[in-house]
Amino acid sequence: MVRNIVIYPDKRLKTVSDEVTNFNEELHTLLEDMYETMVHKKGVGLAAIQIGIAKRVLIINLPEDDSDDAIVKKEETLEIINPVFLSMEGNCKHQEGCLSVPGFYEDIERSRRIVMEYQNRHGEKQVIDNQDFLAIALQHEMDHLEGKVFVEKLSILKRKKFEKEWKKKQK
Ligand code: CO
């Protein structure tokens, strides 16, 4: 089921999400709903809090090319539960966007390489070691689990400009 996306500056986006302890039907339904919502909104990643569920769950699906009809295959969707960074190193800057801040894109500084441990939908431990765009997407989604949105990483000046324009747009 496609769910509504929580839009910035909704306070729910500030919630620190809770650890998942039951890898049951309810979790699997949440993952299905998140996938359908992400595909419907043409996003590449989604955290559960973005549909109002404060659980440490995120999904990522990076299309193989940039064309509009690139198929987002369900079996290639990364389902990440209770993620923890084991290491982060280097620096890089990439343009980011967010389904909770639709239409706004800005360069954000991140670590270049990350190693992350997480659980899959069955509760099995997995590790990702990545230094491509996936590493950036994981850092962006991980921020959502900590109650942070990428616009909070903007410089003071850029943040002020964004807040002004965003308020205007919301009216
Ligand atoms: Co986001």
Side-chain angles (χ1 to χ4, degrees):
M1 189 176 66
V2 173
R3 310 265 204 113
N4 287 331
I5 301 270
V6 176
I7 301 296
Y8 183 87
D10 191 305
K11 283 197 176 66
R12 283 175 287 174
L13 292 172
K14 289 186 175 293
T15 315
V16 177
S17 292
D18 295 325
E19 196 124 327
V20 173
T21 48
N22 291 317
F23 295 79
N24 55 11
E25 194 69 31
E26 193 191 334
L27 172 69
H28 297 171
T29 303
L30 172 64
L31 286 163
E32 306 309 320
D33 286 0
M34 285 174 67
Y35 173 77
E36 285 176 32
T37 305
M38 181 182 71
V39 169
H40 178 74
K41 295 286 182 187
K42 298 188 194 310
V44 298
L46 190 72
I49 193 62
Q50 291 182 277
I51 58 167
I53 309 289
K55 285 190 179 162
R56 299 186 87 77
V57 177
L58 60 92
I59 59 169
I60 290 183
N61 197 323
L62 304 174
E64 278 171 30
D65 60 79
D66 281 340
S67 62
D68 266 353
D69 54 356
I71 300 160
V72 187
K73 288 196 199 114
K74 177 142 195 341
E75 60 270 23
E76 284 168 17
T77 303
L78 260 176
E79 298 176 337
I80 295 187
I81 296 141
N82 299 333
V84 178
F85 286 119
L86 298 180
S87 73
M88 308 173 87
E89 60 184 54
N91 286 293
C92 64
K93 215 175 193 183
H94 274 276
Q95 194 182 65
E96 294 183 22
C98 181
L99 290 178
S100 292
V101 194
F104 179 76
Y105 302 91
E106 189 56 81
D107 283 350
I108 301 291
E109 259 183 63
R110 299 282 185 188
S111 300
R112 176 170 296 279
R113 179 183 173 195
I114 60 104
V115 181
M116 175 185 266
E117 186 180 76
Y118 65 99
Q119 284 165 286
N120 66 15
R121 62 160 63 205
H122 306 295
E124 295 154 356
K125 286 231 161 133
Q126 314 277 324
V127 174
I128 291 177
D129 181 341
N130 190 274
Q131 45 191 334
D132 298 315
F133 188 68
L134 175 60
I136 293 156
L138 286 168
Q139 291 171 76
H140 176 112
E141 299 309 330
M142 185 69 157
D143 274 355
H144 281 299
L145 304 190
E146 300 300 337
K148 292 181 214 145
V149 179
F150 81 114
V151 297
E152 291 165 43
K153 293 181 83 76
L154 297 172
S155 66
I156 294 170
L157 225 63
K158 277 187 176 174
R159 178 76 187 274
K160 272 192 178 158
K161 189 163 168 261
F162 160 75
E163 292 292 347
K164 214 169 146 187
E165 284 170 5
W166 191 250
K167 262 183 205 141
K168 233 187 259 171
K169 218 183 126 187
Q170 299 304 97
K171 277 177 190 162

